[in-house]
């Protein structure tokens, strides 16, 4: 399959997977978010083991494990931000904004990727503005340092992978291993400190959490296809394009979970979606 076709497939798979994998946690709000993280990481590792058995790319490369641990750091900061900043929607929006900026900056400046700046700069601006439209207003942005820092991690955790020269399949297993080990250690420390048991009596959300891990792993594989050096997007454009998963997430929220029920909320959501889509079109044009 041509690399350009694979890049396009990667964008669509990644957008759907990352916009959907958190649905079980939304469906079962009483289910512990730490339990979700633990079982999701187990599902991701199981999926990567299956893929590794097919590809034969079994290894424990330290770059892959390190990137997995970095991802866990970003995830932990997101969980902390949701609790400490008391702004679930705003936490995700702030984190995504920073990750878009840093991934674009990394691709253009660090990896010297070519992009038409008169398209890509307005595109990044549109995507960030669109993401912020539904956000709650805060008096001081610096009070939200946890969500901002999580975005910094999510926007840069794949840089070591880009520098390593590893192949996608070679990177996949050690990365998922790092995510799983890091998540289980973190959850173990948190639950031990709080003297809480992460086990949950309801089997359904546990199995769905593991299934979400499988979906997340395919989304991660789609990232590699999207940002490949020989693809049509690269890191500067491909990674920000994947942030369109916010639109999928919003569609789940509106049509399945009844969020944004007020007229004003629906108008804000529609404006946000239109501006983000304009940004996505401009980003695509910047690589043509």
């Amino acid at each position: 399959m041509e690399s350009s076709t694979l890049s396009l497939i990667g964008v669509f798979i990644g957008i759907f997977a990352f916009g959907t994998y958190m649905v079980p946690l939304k469906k079962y709000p009483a289910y512990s978010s730490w339990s979700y993280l633990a079982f999701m990481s187990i599902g991701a590792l199981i999926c990567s083991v299956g893929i590794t058995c097919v590809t034969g790319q079994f290894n424990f490369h330290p770059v892959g494990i390190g990137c997995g641990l970095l991802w866990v750091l970003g995830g932990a900061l997101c969980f902390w931000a949701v609790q400490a900043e008391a702004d679930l929607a705003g936490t995700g929006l702030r984190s995504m904004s920073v990750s878009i900026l840093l991934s674009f900056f990394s691709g253009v400046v660090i990896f010297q990727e070519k992009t038409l700046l008169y398209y890509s700069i307005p595109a990044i601006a549109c995507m960030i503005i669109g993401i912020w439209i539904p956000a709650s207003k805060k008096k001081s942005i610096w009070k939200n340092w946890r969500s901002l820092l999580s975005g910094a991690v999510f926007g840069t955790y794949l840089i070591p992978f880009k520098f390593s020269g590893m192949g996608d399949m070679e990177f996949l297993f050690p990365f998922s291993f790092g995510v799983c080990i890091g998540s289980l250690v973190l959850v173990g420390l948190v639950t031990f400190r709080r003297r809480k048991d992460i086990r949950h009596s309801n089997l359904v959300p546990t199995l769905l959490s593991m299934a979400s891990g499988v979906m997340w792993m395919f989304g991660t594989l789609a990232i590699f296809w999207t940002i490949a050096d020989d693809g049509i997007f690269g890191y500067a454009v491909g990674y920000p394009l994947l942030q369109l998963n916010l639109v999928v997430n919003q569609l789940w929220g509106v049509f399945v979970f009844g969020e944004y029920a007020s007229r004003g909320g629906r108008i804000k959501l529609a404006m946000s979606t239109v501006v983000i889509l304009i940004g996505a079109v401009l980003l695509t044009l910047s690589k043509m």
Side-chain angles (χ1 to χ4, degrees):
M1 186 179 296
E2 294 184 1
S3 57
S4 58
T5 303
L6 201 58
S7 295
L8 287 171
I9 293 174
V11 167
F12 287 113
I13 292 177
I15 288 172
F16 177 79
F18 292 129
T20 303
Y21 83 96
M22 291 287 286
V23 168
L25 193 57
K26 178 73 176 180
K27 174 68 175 176
Y28 299 96
Y31 192 68
S32 166
S33 58
W34 296 109
S35 297
Y36 176 82
L37 177 62
F39 288 111
M40 191 202 86
S41 68
I42 292 172
L45 182 61
I46 292 173
C47 179
S48 71
V49 168
I51 295 173
T52 301
C53 289
V54 175
T55 61
Q57 295 285 349
F58 181 83
N59 69 90
F60 290 95
H61 199 291
V63 170
I65 295 175
C67 288
L69 294 176
L70 282 175
W71 185 92
V72 173
L73 174 61
L77 285 166
C78 261
F79 281 119
W80 189 12
V82 169
Q83 294 177 338
E85 297 172 15
D87 181 14
L88 177 60
T91 295
L93 296 171
R94 287 185 292 271
S95 178
M96 195 173 290
S97 300
V98 175
S99 69
I100 288 175
L101 280 176
L102 289 183
S103 59
F104 177 74
F105 177 83
S106 301
V108 172
V109 177
I110 298 177
F111 301 114
Q112 298 293 302
E113 295 177 356
K114 294 181 180 180
T115 180
L116 300 176
L117 294 180
Y118 51 83
Y119 280 128
S120 58
I121 291 178
I124 293 295
C126 281
M127 295 189 77
I128 291 176
I129 292 171
I131 286 172
W132 277 75
I133 286 175
S136 301
K137 295 182 180 179
K138 290 284 185 178
K139 293 182 179 179
S140 174
I141 190 66
W142 301 114
K143 292 182 179 179
N144 306 314
W145 62 270
R146 301 167 189 82
S147 54
L148 297 174
L149 189 55
S150 71
V153 174
F154 288 142
T156 58
Y157 77 96
L158 286 176
I159 289 179
F161 162 69
K162 293 286 289 183
F163 274 121
S164 70
M166 298 175 66
D168 302 345
M169 296 297 101
E170 184 184 7
F171 177 81
L172 194 66
F173 176 79
F175 174 68
S176 64
F177 180 80
V179 169
C180 187
I181 294 301
S183 298
L184 293 178
V185 169
L186 175 64
V187 170
L189 291 173
V190 170
T191 52
F192 176 78
R193 180 182 177 185
R194 297 181 178 181
R195 301 295 193 273
K196 290 182 179 179
D197 193 341
I198 68 168
R199 290 177 297 177
H200 200 280
S201 59
N202 195 332
L203 182 62
V204 174
T206 297
L207 293 176
L208 288 177
S209 298
M210 295 178 71
S212 292
V214 174
M215 178 177 292
W216 177 83
M217 182 51 60
F218 278 108
T220 300
L221 185 59
I223 291 179
F224 303 146
W225 298 340
T226 303
I227 68 174
D229 293 332
D230 58 350
I232 60 176
F233 298 119
Y235 194 80
V237 172
Y239 196 85
L241 272 179
L242 290 170
Q243 306 311 312
L244 284 171
N245 71 78
L246 177 67
V247 176
V248 176
N249 187 270
Q250 290 174 338
L251 292 175
W252 277 106
V254 170
F255 294 106
V256 177
F257 298 112
E259 296 179 346
Y260 299 95
S262 68
R263 178 181 176 84
R266 292 287 175 92
I267 291 175
K268 278 188 173 183
L269 182 64
M271 290 172 58
S272 170
T273 303
V274 169
V275 174
I276 290 172
L277 290 176
I278 290 173
V281 171
L282 290 174
L283 266 184
T284 305
L285 291 174
S286 74
K287 296 297 287 187
M288 291 183 174

